Amino acid sequence: SPETVQPSVGFFFTDSPPALTPLMLRLGRQNIDIPAGATNYLVEDQYRLPVDVQVFAVQPHAHFRAREIKGIATLPDGSTKWLIFIKDWDFSWQDVYRYREPLALPKGTTLSMQYSYDNSATNRRNPDRPPQHIRWGQNSVDEMGDLWIQVVTASPADRRVLETDFGPKVLAEDAIGYEKLLETDPGN
């Protein structure tokens, strides 16, 4: 039935600039193409940091066929730190995971993600019975594989360096996603 909605919004203003200005980095692939019955389809991506950052939060994003979610930082000395590791992914867990303390990562650190997918009938969370060929898409019945990483740089100049370096990477991946959408729906 028709309902009247009366939303309200609250804005808070200040005379001082923000102390920190976070930037979201997105790792992931938009060329996901999972055959029906595949039990360990992998999606991987990585990015090397051109500046020092502090990581404040991560936000994994995947749908029903995702099984294992990994986010790793490999420091320039070869040591690794987990950003996130979920061994048995559940679609309901798409959320922002904030760290108690920011994770400092030096310039030259490689951020990487690896998601595995189970598009078989043994995956109890697979919505398709029998399993269907699944591709990347924006709907919940499609699949996605993104790891958003919230970072803060040491200075505005470093932020500009990071934005300039990361921008082309994310735009190229978005173009792949739009091409995939056109493959499945050429009239769109």
Side-chain angles (χ1 to χ4, degrees), residues 9-24:
V9 178
F11 292 99
F12 298 88
F13 298 95
T14 179
D15 293 330
S16 56
L20 302 173
T21 306
L23 181 66
M24 295 299 285

Side-chain angles (χ1 to χ4, degrees), residues 60-83:
H61 184 92
H63 296 166
F64 296 104
R65 294 159 200 88
R67 301 303 299 145
E68 194 171 79
I69 304 291
K70 292 180 182 177
I72 301 167
T74 303
L75 282 66
D77 67 5
S79 63
T80 59
K81 294 184 179 186
W82 285 106
L83 299 172

Side-chain angles (χ1 to χ4, degrees), residues 78-115:
S79 63
T80 59
K81 294 184 179 186
W82 285 106
L83 299 172
I84 193 165
F85 184 15
I86 299 176
K87 291 184 179 187
D88 190 17
W89 173 257
D90 185 304
F91 180 75
S92 303
W93 297 345
Q94 293 184 92
D95 206 345
V96 176
Y97 295 85
R98 299 191 185 284
Y99 299 129
R100 282 191 188 129
E101 298 293 327
L103 175 62
L105 298 176
K107 173 182 177 177
T109 296
T110 299
L111 304 173
S112 61
M113 59 81 70
Q114 182 186 67
Y115 290 9

